Amino acid sequence: MIQGSTHISGSAAVKKHLMVLSLFAAIAVLMTGIAHAETAGLLWDSSTPGIKLTWKAPSDTRPEKVKGYNLYRSEEIGGHYNKVNDQPVTKLDYEDRALQKGKDYFYRITTIFVDGTESAPTDPVGMTAGAANAQELRLPKIDFLSSNALGKVLYMGDEAVFILSAEPGLTAKLDIEGVAAGMQMKEAEPGSYKANFIVPQGLRVKDASATATVVASNGGKASVQTKPFINFLGIRKPALSGLYAGILEAGRVGLNWPKAQGVDGADGWSVIYKDTSRILGFEGLNPVTGRIARTVAAYIDGDVAPGRTYYYVLAQYDAAGSLTAYSDNLEVTVPQAGRVSGIESVEEDSAGNTMKPGSTLKVTVKTASGCKASFALGDTISGKPLAEAESGIYTGSYTFKDGDGQFKSRVSVSLRDASGDTHFASSATFVAVDAPRVSATAAGDGKKPQVFGIKDDIQTVVGRSGRLTAGKTFTVTLKGDTGAKGYFSVGNSIWRVPMKEDPAAPGMYSGSYTVRAGDSAGVADDPLNTVFITGWLESSGGTPSDKLTGPMPVIIDTSVNIAVDISSHDLLADARSQAKVTFTVTDADGEFVPDRRLTVLIEPTAKYTGVAGSGGVDRRRDGQDAAQGVLGRLQVDFDDMTDRFGRVTATYTSGFAAKTAMVVARDFATGSVGMGYVTTSISSSVNIALTEPAGTIITAPVKPIYQLSIDVVPDPANPVHTYPGFILDTIPNSLTADGTSRASIVAVLTKDGVPAVGNTIIFGASGADGSFTKAS
């Protein structure tokens, strides 16, 4: 008799392999160890005039790490610089002799480190060799160039204001890429230069930059350039409103807009444009729809991919085919398949109408009975209660007020069920809100304050990610007329932060803000969602100044990464086996986040098909003895607040089910989610043997002739669960003990290594658990 056997373990779900990828941001760091040039002095000698340079050692580098300095010379302040010294200069001064009398020479200095690297150079400094009473020649100093046109679209008739902050007494000109060159910038106040540009009809510029160039009386020239965030579109501003996504699923996006009243086919038609980047004008774009009758107010786009972001614009044409009106871009991110929620549905009744001060929004949630729930909208409206109007139906409302902001957002719902578990879900539709944080001001005293400059210290505050994380404090400084009130904002997240005028420096206003968990600004990839600091002044009578935009984009990112570490992913389904679960919370800089409250819960896989064994459901976390749940129990060990290492620990106790359970943690302040998994298994074995037929005599060979190999191939339809950013893949040779999982058992008979054709292999099963079905 020739016999082969194999052992198979039945697991909690089809066993999974999990690959965890740690992504590290590669940070490019500009060296800050730069020598600071201080003085250029003349060396007097009738035959060999020269220049003596002195400088300071870099203040942020230890002396033992500095090998010396290199000096570079040019005959033009903005020209090519050649190295003067052969070996690094170890002193903090240098005499450059044998120069041509009466000629200008300019120098730049770099720091050489012991590891061989070289810093960026200093700004140039120079003098006229051999000239009596010669003055130092330097590049004019520029602080920044800013504009209210950064990060937005300006339409026909809008005014773009450009503010340059530099040293006083310069000649300044402005170039706008693809638009204008050599625009004169007037010095509105010492050191503050201003230029205005009104968008003309027909101008179309996307992602342009502006460059300001200044020239000093000594001929020194310097320039500064904005990033390419300027967009001009010289047509009428968007006049259609109310376009929103009524259906938002992994495979389709349903668009809705207000239905036109009293129109017919003679009034023209509508079309929808779509692109993967923001739409600025329709040239080169074909509509994704045919002509839509003006009486139709809906369209479903099925040509979308999960996780992708699309932009939609609704345009209306008259009967002659001329564009009459269009909407602003509707940004839609298609959701991934799968969700973490015990909530059946979230609905809101805005019906595509824009919510203004005084408008009331009603929210309806369908889920189990006996829950506590609340809803939130955007960054400013949160914690609004939902009451159970009837069994499993929860309703709540909110009346908008002046100051709620201008944005579009889904309704987010947080729910705690009767057993204490927390669930989250969002509406499929967006709610548009138009409740400006600053109402139209009264005429006031008629005096409009002037602003001349704005700056911040964000670049010195941010961590290695270049983002402002929770707990970071930054300061904004505004320069303008005296005796006013100053304020600054950052997108829709941070609004109207007060600024105080410095008594020792009239006209200088400053204010600070500490970033809080949940603040968010500038994290979108769309350049037109880039966020800048905006500052303004208000007179004593309430008249506001023009708003001045900071020169650099700002990113506020308080989202966190939640790593879920489980001591053992495979447990016995005996209602006693345990695993230690550690949740570690880090911010965008990779720093631990202490004192952050987490909600932890267990979620079944999407294809939960049944249970094996018995036992009641217990989701209590009080540590008391009770019947174990079929999925097991997750109990926080001490507290759900992270410690100084950003950690919360819990204990997972298995249930009777042979299944996979998702271990989920959510940071309620930001909505960030972390996931892990535990599989629980029931050990079993399958023995397969090839036996001799009855009545047949087989003579044993000298060596084995026949070999039987067995392979178990799970059915690919076995449960596989997917969350956005978290995928479990099937491990071969393991099945879920749920009575429905299937696998193919393949037996191959060989003789001396060659497949034996014409032999019969018969499978059979004994025992009540499991069965064989002949495939071929």
Side-chain angles (χ1 to χ4, degrees):
M1 178 175 67
I2 303 170
Q3 179 174 329
S5 65
T6 185
H7 179 274
I8 305 173
S9 174
S11 71
V14 177
K15 282 187 179 178
K16 320 288 183 182
H17 280 306
L18 176 65
M19 178 178 291
V20 179
L21 177 64
S22 297
L23 185 62
F24 294 91
I27 310 282
V29 180
L30 178 65
M31 288 186 179
T32 55
I34 302 175
H36 305 286
E38 287 295 309
T39 305
L42 292 177
L43 294 172
W44 283 102
D45 189 310
S46 58
S47 60
T48 58
I51 294 175
K52 180 178 180 179
L53 295 157
T54 63
W55 59 90
K56 290 183 178 180
S59 58
D60 55 356
T61 303
R62 293 199 301 271
E64 63 269 19
K65 294 200 172 199
V66 176
K67 183 178 181 180
Y69 305 93
N70 281 339
L71 287 87
Y72 296 83
R73 182 180 64 205
S74 174
E75 295 180 5
E76 295 181 4
I77 196 167
H80 177 72
Y81 285 76
N82 295 306
K83 191 166 74 166
V84 175
N85 53 297
D86 294 328
Q87 298 295 325
V89 177
T90 57
K91 298 180 180 180
L92 295 177
D93 59 77
Y94 182 83
E95 295 181 359
D96 191 17
R97 294 182 175 270
L99 303 177
Q100 184 176 339
K101 186 176 181 179
K103 198 165 191 175
D104 295 338
Y105 294 93
F106 302 90
Y107 298 86
R108 306 181 81 171
I109 304 169
T110 62
T111 304
I112 307 300
F113 301 98
V114 293
D115 63 1
T117 58
E118 185 174 13
S119 76
T122 64
D123 289 334
V125 62
M127 297 192 77
T128 304
N133 301 319
Q135 301 295 315
E136 285 189 11
L137 304 176
R138 294 176 179 267
L139 283 178
K141 182 183 177 184
I142 294 177
D143 291 329
F144 63 82
L145 172 65
S146 180
S147 174
N148 65 333
L150 297 177
K152 62 181 70 172
V153 178
L154 295 187
Y155 295 91
M156 182 177 63
D158 287 341
E159 184 178 38
V161 179
F162 295 86
I163 300 289
L164 173 70
S165 178
E167 63 184 65
L170 304 174
T171 300
K173 292 186 178 182
L174 180 75
D175 298 331
I176 306 175
E177 181 185 3
V179 176
M183 294 174 57
Q184 190 71 34
M185 301 191 77
K186 295 182 180 180
E187 192 169 8
E189 190 195 59
S192 294
Y193 303 81
K194 185 176 181 181
N196 300 68
F197 177 79
I198 297 178
V199 181
Q201 182 177 358
L203 179 63
R204 298 176 185 272
V205 172
K206 184 176 181 180
D207 297 336
S209 60
T211 302
T213 302
V214 295
V215 180
S217 58
N218 62 14
K221 182 186 294 185
S223 62
V224 62
Q225 185 177 42
T226 69
K227 290 191 175 183
F229 290 135
I230 298 174
N231 298 271
F232 296 144
L233 189 57
I235 60 176
R236 292 189 303 272
K237 294 181 181 180
L240 295 179
S241 61
L243 179 65
Y244 71 101
I247 299 174
L248 199 56
E249 298 175 350
R252 61 177 183 159
V253 173
L255 301 176
N256 299 85
W257 57 91
K259 187 175 181 179
Q261 301 295 323
V263 298
D264 55 33
D267 294 301
W269 65 86
S270 302
V271 296
I272 293 176
Y273 292 93
K274 167 188 167 185
D275 203 351
T276 53
S277 61
R278 187 172 289 268
I279 299 171
L280 297 179
F282 307 131
E283 290 75 12
L285 285 181
N286 293 318
V288 295
T289 65
R291 296 183 177 184
I292 303 173
R294 294 287 301 279
T295 55
V296 176
Y299 171 74
I300 293 179
D301 182 13
D303 185 19
V304 296
R308 291 290 301 273
T309 297
Y310 299 94
Y311 296 86
Y312 295 92
V313 171
L314 173 69
Q316 290 182 348
Y317 294 84
D318 61 20
S322 298
L323 178 67
T324 58
Y326 64 100
S327 72
D328 202 350
N329 282 253
L330 172 65
E331 180 181 344
V332 175
T333 300
V334 182
Q336 300 278 1
R339 63 192 179 98
V340 182
S341 175
I343 301 172
E344 185 174 334
S345 64
V346 177
E347 297 180 355
E348 49 83 14
D349 68 346
S350 68
N353 298 315
T354 299
M355 299 287 101
K356 296 181 178 293
S359 301
T360 299
L361 179 74
K362 182 180 179 180
V363 177
T364 303
V365 176
K366 186 177 181 181
T367 183
S369 182
C371 302
K372 292 182 179 181
S374 63
F375 71 91
L377 191 67
D379 299 322
T380 58
I381 302 167
S382 62
K384 303 306 173 184
L386 291 161
E388 190 168 10
E390 55 183 283
S391 181
I393 305 296
Y394 299 78
T395 60
S397 62
Y398 178 76
T399 299
F400 293 88
K401 63 183 184 299
D402 184 37
D404 284 333
Q406 294 174 294
F407 58 90
K408 290 182 180 179
S409 172
R410 293 188 182 91
V411 177
S412 299
V413 171
S414 171
L415 178 144
R416 187 177 292 274
D417 62 27
S419 62
D421 285 334
T422 303
H423 305 274
F424 306 90
S426 298
S427 62
T429 55
F430 285 84
V431 177
V433 179
D434 184 14
R437 298 173 189 255
V438 178
S439 301
T441 58
D445 57 8
K447 181 182 178 182
K448 182 178 180 180
Q450 298 294 311
V451 290
F452 306 113
I454 186 173
K455 61 181 180 180
D456 60 70
D457 64 352
I458 286 177
Q459 296 306 312
T460 64
V461 172
V462 296
R464 61 187 179 186
S465 67
R467 302 184 171 206
L468 287 169
T469 56
K472 300 283 188 183
T473 300
F474 63 94
T475 301
V476 179
T477 304
L478 190 68
K479 182 180 181 182
D481 286 343
T482 61
K485 296 179 180 178
Y487 302 94
F488 74 85
S489 298
V490 185
N492 274 329
S493 179
I494 300 169
W495 186 257
R496 203 175 170 83
V497 179
M499 307 175 73
K500 293 183 179 181
E501 187 174 10
D502 185 354
M508 299 298 295
Y509 301 79
S510 64
S512 299
Y513 181 83
T514 300
V515 179
R516 300 174 299 182
D519 288 342
S520 178
V523 294
D525 292 331
D526 179 15
L528 288 180
N529 284 335
T530 301
V531 170
F532 295 82
I533 290 177
T534 301
W536 70 96
L537 296 177
E538 291 182 4
S539 69
S540 58
T543 302
S545 69
D546 292 331
K547 292 184 177 180
L548 189 58
T549 303
M552 294 293 292
V554 178
I555 299 178
I556 297 176
D557 183 5
T558 60
S559 65
V560 295
N561 176 64
I562 305 177
V564 182
D565 181 52
I566 303 175
S567 61
S568 176
H569 288 287
D570 297 299
L571 301 176
L572 291 176
D574 56 6
R576 296 189 308 273
S577 297
Q578 293 185 330
K580 178 66 71 175
V581 184
T582 303
F583 306 96
T584 304
V585 182
T586 53
D587 61 18
D589 292 324
E591 302 293 333
F592 297 129
V593 179
D595 301 322
R596 189 66 66 88
R597 188 175 301 279
L598 298 184
T599 299
V600 299
L601 62 149
I602 305 172
E603 286 282 346
T605 55
K607 297 183 180 180
Y608 194 94
T609 53
V611 299
S614 61
V617 176
D618 172 35
R619 300 194 178 205
R620 293 160 51 191
R621 297 181 184 152
D622 54 9
Q624 301 298 317
D625 292 334
Q628 299 296 310
V630 296
L631 277 178
R633 184 178 64 190
L634 185 65
Q635 179 177 332
V636 176
D637 294 337
F638 302 104
D639 188 8
D640 54 5
M641 295 287 287
T642 56
D643 61 17
R644 64 192 182 96
F645 297 107
R647 298 174 305 192
V648 169
T649 59
T651 301
Y652 178 84
T653 304
S654 71
F656 285 132
K659 268 295 176 184
T660 295
M662 304 300 298
V663 179
V664 181
R666 182 181 178 107
D667 171 29
F668 188 73
T670 64
S672 303
V673 176
M675 303 179 203
Y677 74 97
V678 176
T679 62
T680 51
S681 61
I682 298 174
S683 182
S684 63
S685 62
V686 177
N687 290 287
I688 304 172
L690 179 67
T691 59
E692 61 178 280
T696 302
I697 300 175
I698 298 178
T699 303
V702 176
K703 63 178 180 177
I705 298 175
Y706 289 92
Q707 290 186 332
L708 180 67
S709 62
I710 305 295
D711 191 16
V712 180
V713 183
D715 188 329
N718 277 322
V720 175
H721 191 69
T722 302
Y723 287 113
F726 187 86
I727 300 174
L728 297 174
D729 296 320
T730 303
I731 289 180
N733 301 336
S734 297
L735 299 179
T736 303
D738 57 6
T740 62
S741 297
R742 297 163 55 89
S744 297
I745 299 178
V746 181
V748 178
L749 183 65
T750 58
K751 178 180 180 182
D752 292 332
V754 178
V757 180
N759 294 272
T760 300
I761 300 175
I762 300 174
F763 293 96
S766 61
D769 296 329
S771 61
F772 280 112
T773 301
K774 184 177 180 181
S776 60

